[in-house]
Amino acid sequence: AWQSGHASRFAAAVAILIAISVGVLHTAENFVYLRHLLRVPDKGLAQAASLQTENAFYYSYYNELVHAHSLREGLSQIIWDKRSEYPDVLNALRRFNVYQEVVLALQYRFLQACRLNFVDEWAFFRWHILVLNGMGHAALAMLSSEISGNPMAGIACFIVAFLNRFQISRLGNYGSSNLRELWGVPLLWM
């Protein structure tokens, strides 16, 4: 009995190690695809180039809360939004499902309050999405190992995901990194 318990612990450790590697590799791959934006001389232009249509709309709520004079003022501007469907006032938090942008802006403001200014708000936003998706792929590799009973299934899962990455993700479309599914799907897998 001890031998099988020892083997199952080893298999679980291998599966976890593979899952972590898959998550790191997925995050690194996304970073490489987005690296070309670092060469644009104007930071504002790089941001505008990477945001398209509704992406800029969702990012604007995050940006609004990050740059508000107070947390209360920023939240009230989002809850009583006058700009989206003028002249009507609506609750943008509920109407447009910007909860994740609000939570991320609160995290950024908290780090700023603690004097942890290691990165600007744009990089914080971008990296958060990349790491979240890496964690989602790690969870998917772990799930494949758990379902198959083979710790090496995470490698096969990563290979299949890598070869089909343009069909299962928006890697080819650089500006789509903050769409709704990129927030929800990794959490679904976890």
Side-chain angles (χ1 to χ4, degrees):
W2 182 82
Q3 292 288 345
S4 65
H6 182 66
S8 66
R9 283 194 300 259
F10 178 72
V14 168
I16 290 170
L17 184 63
I18 289 172
I20 291 171
S21 299
V22 165
V24 169
L25 285 171
H26 181 76
T27 303
E29 180 188 7
N30 276 287
F31 178 73
V32 168
Y33 277 109
L34 295 171
R35 188 120 176 106
H36 74 283
L37 292 174
L38 297 176
R39 294 194 178 106
V40 177
D42 180 20
K43 191 174 199 167
L45 184 60
Q47 290 176 8
S50 66
L51 293 172
Q52 303 169 354
T53 62
E54 71 270 15
N55 296 323
F57 178 71
Y58 293 129
Y59 178 77
S60 71
Y61 288 107
Y62 164 80
N63 197 32
E64 184 175 324
L65 188 54
V66 165
H67 291 292
H69 293 293
S70 70
L71 188 60
R72 184 179 191 163
E73 176 189 331
L75 285 173
S76 68
Q77 287 175 349
I78 291 172
I79 292 172
W80 293 284
D81 184 20
K82 298 174 186 168
R83 65 186 169 128
S84 301
E85 295 185 8
Y86 185 81
D88 297 332
V89 176
L90 58 100
N91 184 344
L93 192 61
R94 258 192 265 148
R95 175 76 181 263
F96 301 118
N97 187 25
V98 292
Y99 292 102
Q100 49 272 35
E101 283 84 1
V102 168
V103 168
L104 193 57
L106 292 174
Q107 289 174 359
Y108 183 78
R109 286 182 70 107
F110 175 76
L111 292 174
Q112 293 294 312
C114 294
R115 302 285 184 220
L116 297 173
N117 303 353
F118 54 90
V119 69
D120 68 337
E121 72 269 3
W122 173 250
F124 183 78
F125 182 81
R126 209 47 146 177
W127 269 101
H128 187 277
I129 294 171
L130 294 178
V131 169
L132 179 66
N133 277 276
M135 289 170 48
H137 275 266
L140 187 60
M142 196 66 194
L143 182 64
S144 67
S145 295
E146 184 68 29
I147 290 172
S148 71
N150 184 347
M152 304 306 267
I155 294 173
C157 176
F158 173 71
I159 291 170
V160 169
F162 180 78
L163 294 175
N164 294 298
R165 66 189 173 279
F166 295 114
Q167 286 78 26
I168 66 168
S169 72
R170 303 266 181 139
L171 277 178
N173 187 355
Y174 302 112
S176 297
S177 65
N178 62 329
L179 288 176
R180 305 291 91 192
E181 64 266 19
L182 294 182
W183 292 92
V185 171
L187 295 176
L188 177 69
W189 289 338
M190 288 183 217

